[in-house]
């Protein structure tokens, strides 16, 4: 299915997606949330197993309700009717076939706002290639620059190589310079850099990679919001918030590399961002 040329593929009729909740969400980057909110659908059962996940109630425990393709299409249209600027698919990786199946009736019934793919950055490039022309905005994390840390704290192998290939594929599809309608992004990519304490995220190394392999026109979002949720309290390396000195060091690195597009979080001011554990189930 490609809403730009009318093609439709076989998506596996009858499969159901598990959704925890959906809402007009105001905690994303400003051009994604805008003034009317991002129409955010939180899927249950993330393909990563982060020990510090703020959304562990549904990302790890898979709480939520199963929705048919028609019901998921109804959710998308309901969010559009509420005035949301986009449909924001959070942790969509396990449910790409179900999402594609739901988009067919949703688009037939008038869904026209941009589609946002909001991921931890651990995806299959072949699957992402099938989303070309369907997804308008990509919001990937670049969470680690060291595979050992990724395996220890998120339970996933070969994160770095996979993640960098994923970002390259997203750039191939939508480029490095977003398209805006007024203050609202309608197409593009924002790479999210969630800093972890004690240098676990290796954000400086990720910036080196992006500078040398992608370029500095890229839009970045440097996040200071980490806190030791879920099981992180029991793991010394990630059992505290990041320090201001750690955040400031990465800000200096961004400046040295020449990155000038995107958003930072004033240190400690993150209360409205991604507070997933406070969301109520659908």
């Amino acid at each position: 299915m490609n809403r730009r040329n009318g093609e439709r593929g076989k998506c596996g009729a009858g499969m159901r997606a598990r959704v925890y909740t959906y809402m007009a969400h105001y905690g994303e980057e400003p051009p994604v949330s805008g003034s009317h909110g991002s129409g955010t659908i939180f899927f249950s059962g993330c393909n990563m197993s982060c020990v510090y996940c703020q959304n562990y109630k549904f990302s790890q425990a898979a709480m939520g309700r199963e929705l048919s393709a028609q019901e998921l299409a109804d959710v998308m249209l309901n969010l559009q009717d509420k005035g949301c600027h986009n449909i924001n698919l959070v942790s969509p990786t396990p449910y790409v076939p179900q999402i594609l199946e739901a988009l067919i009736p949703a688009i037939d019934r008038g869904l026209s706002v941009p589609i946002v793919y909001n991921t931890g950055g651990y995806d299959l490039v072949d699957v992402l290639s099938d989303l070309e022309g369907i997804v308008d905005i990509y919001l990937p994390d670049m969470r680690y620059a060291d595979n050992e840390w990724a395996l220890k704290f998120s339970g996933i192998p070969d994160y770095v190589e996979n993640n960098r290939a994923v970002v390259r594929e997203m750039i191939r599809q939508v480029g490095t310079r977003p398209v805006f309608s007024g203050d609202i992004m309608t197409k593009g990519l924002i790479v999210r850099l969630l800093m972890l304490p004690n240098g676990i995220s290796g954000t400086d190394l990720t910036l080196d990679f992006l500078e040398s392999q992608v370029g500095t026109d890229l839009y970045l979002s440097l996040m200071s919001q980490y806190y030791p949720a879920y099981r992180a309290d029991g793991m010394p390396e990630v059992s505290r918030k990041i320090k201001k000195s750690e955040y400031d060091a990465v800000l200096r690195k961004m400046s040295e590399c020449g990155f000038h597009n995107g958003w930072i979080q004033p240190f400690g001011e993150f209360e409205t961002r991604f507070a997933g554990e406070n969301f109520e189930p659908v």
Side-chain angles (χ1 to χ4, degrees), residues 14 25 44 115 126 131-132 223 253:
H25 186 32
S44 300
I115 304 299
D126 288 347
L131 298 177
E132 186 172 5
M223 299 185 290
K253 177 70 173 181

Side-chain angles (χ1 to χ4, degrees), residues 256-270:
E256 292 167 3
C257 289
F259 289 101
H260 52 276
N261 294 324
W263 300 267
I264 64 173
Q265 289 178 320
F267 191 78
E269 297 180 17
F270 55 82

Side-chain angles (χ1 to χ4, degrees), residues 104-282:
I104 293 172
I107 292 169
D108 283 346
R109 291 163 55 191
L111 184 71
S112 60
V113 295
I115 304 299
V116 180
Y117 193 90
N118 190 336
T119 170
Y122 193 64
D123 296 83
L124 292 174
V125 171
D126 288 347
V127 172
L128 292 177
S129 68
D130 290 337
L131 298 177
E132 186 172 5
I134 298 170
V135 169
D136 301 283
I137 299 169
Y138 283 105
L139 301 181
D141 288 341
M142 295 192 79
R143 191 76 61 87
Y144 301 99
D146 185 304
N147 285 328
E148 290 187 12
W149 291 133
L151 185 61
K152 180 173 183 177
F153 297 115
S154 292
I156 47 177
D158 303 321
Y159 178 86
V160 177
E161 297 82 2
N162 177 278
N163 180 244
R164 292 178 178 182
V166 160
V167 170
R168 286 191 182 100
E169 171 60 22
M170 293 174 175
I171 290 170
R172 185 192 69 78
Q173 292 183 29
V174 300
T176 59
R177 298 302 300 268
V179 177
F180 294 89
S181 176
D183 294 331
I184 301 301
M185 184 179 294
T186 58
K187 181 179 179 180
L189 168 76
I190 301 172
V191 172
R192 287 172 162 173
L193 304 171
L194 174 64
M195 288 190 60
L196 302 174
N198 295 304
I200 299 299
S201 52
T203 309
D204 55 341
L205 297 177
T206 298
L207 290 170
D208 283 336
F209 162 77
L210 292 173
E211 179 192 11
S212 63
Q213 301 296 317
V214 175
T216 56
D217 284 340
L218 192 68
Y219 277 61
L220 303 178
S221 180
L222 182 64
M223 299 185 290
S224 64
Q225 67 200 47
Y226 175 82
Y227 67 92
Y230 192 32
R231 296 191 288 113
D233 268 341
M235 306 186 78
E237 301 97 330
V238 291
S239 62
R240 63 166 173 84
K241 296 180 180 181
I242 68 167
K243 298 176 180 178
K244 188 175 186 301
S245 58
E246 293 172 318
Y247 193 75
D248 289 346
V250 173
L251 287 179
R252 288 193 297 272
K253 177 70 173 181
M254 288 177 65
S255 178
E256 292 167 3
C257 289
F259 289 101
H260 52 276
N261 294 324
W263 300 267
I264 64 173
Q265 289 178 320
F267 191 78
E269 297 180 17
F270 55 82
E271 288 80 2
T272 61
R273 296 286 298 279
F274 316 108
E277 64 183 32
N278 297 317
F279 294 159
E280 295 299 325
V282 67

